[in-house]
Amino acid sequence: MAGAGVSLALALMTAPAQAAGVTDEDILNDQQTTDDVVSYGLGPQGQRYSPLDKINRDTIGQLTPIWAFSFGGEKQRGQESQPLIKDGVMYVTGSYSRLYAIDTKTGEELWEYEARLPDGIMPCCDVVNRGAALYGDKVYFATLDAKLVALDAKTGKTVWRKTMGDYKAGYSATAAPMIVNGKIITGVSGGEFGVVGKVEARDTETGELVWSRPVIEGHMGTLNGEESTMTGTLNASWEGDMWKWGGGATWNGGTYDPETNLIYYGTGNPAPWNSHLRPGDNLYSSSTLALDPDTGEIKWHLQTTPHDGWDFDGVNEFVAFDMEKDGEVIKAGAKADRNGFFFVADRETGKPLSVTPFVTKITWAEGWDLETNKPIVIPEGRPGNPAEADGTKGKSVYSCPSFLGGKNWMPMGYSPKSKLFYVPANEWCMDIWNEPVTYKKGAAYLGAGFTIKPLYEDYIGALRAIDPTTGEIKWEYKNPAPVWGGVLSTAGDLVFFGTPEGFIKAFDAESGEELWKFQTGSGVVSSPVTWEEDGEQYMAVVSGWGGAVPLWGGEVAKSVKYLNQGGMVWVFKLPKDAGRT
């Protein structure tokens, strides 16, 4: 056995020859280099765009599956991983904290790592894993017991394993790590258990902590083994001791912009959900933070839902892009927030430039005041205070979007060619009410009850193409079931996107016309990738229904209970003679 839970499936002599390891330059240039995918998001900015164009409007009909790989066993829940590709090897994670190395030409397993998870782990929203990171000769990923593992990329042997949080307190980890300036950057999950969110940087060779930045005010950061600075100002926006268990889990990973040299990380909901127990804005929950990659210091923040009372985690990715408007180029970033609003902001300062709805019904706020940089909150849209009722249950409100969000974890993409964002959205609402709750280590810390309901009879999910200069939705694809996977756009004028019904689909990037689809056998709740090998263009996607919807989805979950679980990665290729006459 090669380390904890590792098995070598084939003799290493059969593995593809591996060249030099992944460098910082490789990661920064990931979007431009077409023969590999070495970062989550196809580049640190997270645009999920490829300049490859052999697969295009004219040739998409000839895209052919060439192999499929099963993750095996009975562990078939929630496959949300984005594959990485380097030197003929695919690195892909599976549910229950597994990682596989697969030959890209043949689909043969080279090695597998399976974490030995302890009893008592408490993942809130299924046993998913969203992907790995590559750097040097190592591959890194996080496990459900809040560990960060470094493996030898060639053999799968454990190099080091570090603890990011106490799983007995509710910490877990599901996001793909990120490499920035030679350091590995991670966050944590567990906001529903009152853990405190944080962003951390570690040495890639040793795993030793370089800096740690808690994201709830009042907590101290560290730098090189010593206390650095306090996050925010103690009790400035939290009363009493509520900040000690304030939530703000950083569970969805981050992005990085080399032009500003800033890491952008989203923070989750404040804890507990019952907002009447924690008056104030509750910084820095439900926000996007810009962090110094060398020290972890917060350079700016954009709190998208102050005093969040609806579980509108602000973890959704902040995607850097250059926006052309009124004759000038603006260094911008965009975020489709759980709360239903699409934010475009100056990525150097965090100042919002525009805030527009990307879902059809929002009941908690009328809009956003750009002068005050605050939402125009509708007081009647907040769940009631139990203390003003019978002390056991506050007034229930019908609230849109639901706490699963106008967009949840599933990453959107941006095409520099079409200059559009492609946003996976959902139209659902909820009945939500507050209840009394006190913090207890390792116990759920919600103080709320809820039931999610579909907003429309004919669809829940939608893929929407948004013009960031205006907020206008240029086209949309409506899907009966809620959408839960990410997107990929290409210079071939295509957008790839999967559905819970099992299809991976391709749409015309300009018009939204559906051009191609393939049934994978289980719901697609992952993010596709594409690359070029020996002059041929490939596309890959992971298939396997799961995630938060079947666990937390209320009436929506009942409507999709027929969907089958699975655990496969599918690889497609365009024949060399495709498009020739």
Side-chain angles (χ1 to χ4, degrees):
M1 301 294 287
V6 180
S7 63
L8 290 175
L10 295 173
L12 293 175
M13 291 177 61
T14 66
Q18 293 194 336
V22 175
T23 66
D24 291 292
E25 185 179 7
D26 292 334
I27 293 168
L28 293 176
N29 294 328
D30 199 19
Q31 182 170 288
Q32 289 74 40
T33 55
T34 57
D35 60 348
D36 57 26
V37 178
V38 296
S39 64
Y40 188 78
L42 283 75
Q45 297 93 336
Q47 292 186 356
R48 296 189 175 273
Y49 172 82
S50 171
L52 287 170
D53 61 3
K54 290 182 179 178
I55 304 173
N56 53 48
R57 296 183 181 107
D58 298 325
T59 61
I60 184 64
Q62 298 175 65
L63 189 63
T64 305
I66 58 169
W67 57 260
F69 175 86
S70 172
F71 296 148
E74 298 178 357
K75 299 178 178 180
Q76 300 295 305
R77 287 169 50 187
Q79 310 297 346
E80 294 183 354
S81 177
Q82 180 218 287
L84 300 175
I85 315 293
K86 178 64 175 173
D87 296 328
V89 179
M90 173 185 290
Y91 302 92
V92 61
T93 60
S95 57
Y96 293 96
S97 305
R98 295 171 290 169
L99 193 151
Y100 302 85
I102 307 168
D103 187 309
T104 57
K105 286 290 186 66
T106 66
E108 295 176 89
E109 181 181 299
L110 304 175
W111 55 258
E112 173 188 351
Y113 175 94
E114 182 171 350
R116 291 177 180 167
L117 298 173
D119 294 333
I121 58 171
M122 294 179 283
C124 112
C125 307
D126 210 355
V127 289
V128 303
N129 189 282
R130 299 191 177 98
L134 291 172
Y135 191 69
D137 57 359
K138 299 177 186 64
V139 55
Y140 309 83
F141 84 123
T143 62
L144 285 167
D145 56 348
K147 299 288 193 298
L148 181 63
V149 183
L151 306 174
D152 184 293
K154 187 174 182 181
T155 67
K157 291 183 178 180
T158 304
V159 179
W160 51 257
R161 187 168 177 259
K162 299 294 181 179
T163 298
M164 297 188 291
D166 180 4
Y167 73 87
K168 294 180 181 179
Y171 281 97
S172 58
T174 55
M178 177 174 57
I179 304 293
V180 177
N181 299 342
K183 295 182 285 289
I184 186 163
I185 313 297
T186 57
V188 292
S189 304
E192 273 59 59
F193 297 96
V195 309
V196 173
K198 56 185 176 179
V199 184
E200 295 186 330
R202 294 179 182 271
D203 184 284
T204 53
E205 283 298 309
T206 66
E208 293 304 310
L209 191 64
V210 177
W211 56 257
S212 180
R213 174 52 55 192
V215 301
I216 298 298
E217 70 176 23
H219 294 270
M220 293 297 298
T222 64
L223 178 63
N224 298 322
E226 298 181 357
E227 281 193 346
S228 57
T229 57
M230 180 181 287
T231 299
T233 303
L234 181 62
N235 291 138
S237 64
W238 291 82
E239 289 191 358
D241 289 340
M242 297 300 291
W243 59 275
K244 293 181 178 179
W245 313 283
T250 49
W251 58 264
N252 202 31
T255 58
Y256 170 70
D257 174 40
E259 290 189 9
T260 59
N261 194 31
L262 291 173
I263 292 169
Y264 304 110
Y265 236 94
T267 67
N269 59 283
W273 288 17
N274 183 344
S275 61
H276 300 282
L277 296 175
R278 43 171 175 78
D281 282 353
N282 308 135
L283 291 171
Y284 293 96
S285 66
S286 300
S287 301
T288 292
L289 305 182
L291 305 173
D292 185 316
D294 297 318
T295 65
E297 295 296 324
I298 298 173
K299 295 301 183 181
W300 58 254
H301 76 276
L302 170 59
Q303 190 173 39
T304 47
T305 313
H307 197 213
D308 182 0
W310 305 268
D311 187 36
F312 288 150
D313 294 38
V315 298
N316 290 358
E317 67 285 353
F318 185 80
V319 178
F321 73 109
D322 291 337
M323 182 172 71
E324 299 177 16
K325 188 174 183 178
D326 300 328
E328 64 174 322
V329 177
I330 303 168
K331 290 183 179 180
K335 173 185 183 180
D337 201 89
R338 284 252 295 252
N339 66 22
F341 289 104
F342 186 81
F343 290 79
V344 177
D346 184 313
R347 68 178 187 261
E348 294 182 298
T349 66
K351 178 179 172 57
L353 304 172
S354 65
V355 183
T356 54
F358 68 95
V359 293
T360 62
K361 189 175 181 66
I362 297 175
T363 62
W364 73 276
E366 295 179 5
W368 192 272
D369 188 329
L370 291 175
E371 293 297 319
T372 64
N373 197 19
K374 294 279 189 179
I376 306 168
V377 175
I378 301 171
E380 297 78 14
R382 185 178 296 274
N385 187 351
E388 297 176 355
D390 61 2
T392 61
K393 180 180 177 180
K395 180 182 177 181
S396 177
V397 298
Y398 181 69
S399 184
C400 305
S402 81
F403 74 86
L404 288 179
K407 187 179 88 68
N408 200 274
W409 79 274
M410 52 279 195
M412 66 182 182
Y414 173 73
S415 169
K417 185 175 182 182
S418 70
K419 295 181 171 51
L420 298 175
F421 275 90
Y422 301 99
V423 179
N426 285 302
E427 298 282 0
W428 42 22
C429 302
M430 61 181 172
D431 292 325
I432 182 170
W433 58 92
N434 286 324
E435 301 167 346
V437 68
T438 55
Y439 175 78
K440 181 181 178 181
K441 179 181 176 179
Y445 189 46
L446 297 185
F450 46 82
T451 300
I452 293 181
K453 301 177 178 181
L455 182 57
Y456 301 113
E457 292 184 359
D458 58 334
Y459 80 103
I460 299 173
L463 177 64
R464 292 182 167 134
I466 298 177
D467 182 342
T469 65
T470 63
E472 179 186 359
I473 297 173
K474 307 296 286 188
W475 59 259
E476 67 177 350
Y477 159 78
K478 296 178 179 179
N479 195 72
V483 296
W484 208 250
V487 303
L488 165 72
S489 67
T490 73
D493 300 307
L494 299 175
V495 178
F496 290 93
F497 172 73
T499 73
E501 292 88 348
F503 289 103
I504 177 69
K505 296 188 174 188
F507 300 89
D508 187 299
E510 293 286 354
S511 69
E513 179 186 359
E514 185 178 316
L515 302 175
W516 175 87
K517 66 180 180 180
F518 179 86
Q519 175 58 247
T520 67
S522 184
V524 177
V525 292
S526 63
S527 303
V529 296
T530 188
W531 74 100
E532 193 171 38
E533 200 165 329
D534 296 333
E536 298 175 294
Q537 188 176 349
Y538 291 70
M539 187 272 289
V541 69
V542 175
S543 169
W545 171 240
V549 174
L551 298 176
W552 293 75
E555 292 181 16
V556 171
K558 295 176 184 177
S559 71
V560 294
K561 64 182 180 180
Y562 68 92
L563 296 172
N564 293 320
Q565 292 182 339
M568 302 277 286
V569 56
W570 286 88
V571 173
F572 304 82
K573 186 176 72 171
L574 189 69
K576 280 189 174 180
D577 60 354
R580 295 177 184 172
T581 56

